[in-house]
Amino acid sequence: MFKAVSESSLIYMTRIQKERFGDLSEYERVKGSYIINKAFLDRFKKKITILHPLPRVDEISTDVDDYPGAAYFRQIRNGVFVRMALLAMILGKM
């Protein structure tokens, strides 16, 4: 994972979804395998943009929220505007 991140300018992070596992023990084995926190980001010299669809569980630590590349709150806000525009188009208001 470190090599991929070191060569990237963007991370799109999602959670490991419990509902996707038929065997709960398999989920328990892999949950928490991929977590982004401040210590993880400090390993890289360049700023990396981080996206996430929210809500988060434990895959992005709250200490990342003030990281300059944390774009997930903007991502969610912009998603609201996109949905508003789509609804306006569908309803013939544009």
Side-chain angles (χ1 to χ4, degrees), residues 40-89:
F40 174 83
L41 293 172
D42 287 343
R43 295 178 181 184
F44 307 102
K45 300 201 182 335
K46 63 180 180 172
K47 183 176 92 169
I48 298 170
T49 301
I50 303 167
L51 297 174
H52 189 287
L54 296 179
R56 63 181 158 198
V57 178
D58 62 357
E59 62 280 358
I60 298 179
S61 177
T62 56
D63 66 358
V64 175
D65 291 350
D66 62 351
Y67 176 74
Y72 37 88
F73 294 126
R74 281 185 288 134
Q75 174 189 358
I76 295 304
R77 184 171 186 264
N78 291 336
V80 171
F81 299 136
V82 169
R83 288 189 293 278
M84 290 169 61
L86 288 171
L87 285 171
M89 285 174 51

Side-chain angles (χ1 to χ4, degrees), residues 6-70:
S6 68
E7 296 176 4
S8 302
S9 58
L10 182 129
I11 299 171
Y12 188 91
M13 186 71 171
T14 61
R15 66 181 172 85
I16 296 176
Q17 297 176 339
K18 184 183 209 176
E19 58 273 17
R20 303 279 185 202
F21 289 83
D23 181 4
L24 188 58
S25 64
E26 182 67 15
Y27 167 76
E28 292 295 330
R29 187 181 70 75
V30 298
K31 78 174 185 176
S33 297
Y34 302 103
I35 296 176
I36 295 176
N37 57 28
K38 189 74 167 165
F40 174 83
L41 293 172
D42 287 343
R43 295 178 181 184
F44 307 102
K45 300 201 182 335
K46 63 180 180 172
K47 183 176 92 169
I48 298 170
T49 301
I50 303 167
L51 297 174
H52 189 287
L54 296 179
R56 63 181 158 198
V57 178
D58 62 357
E59 62 280 358
I60 298 179
S61 177
T62 56
D63 66 358
V64 175
D65 291 350
D66 62 351
Y67 176 74

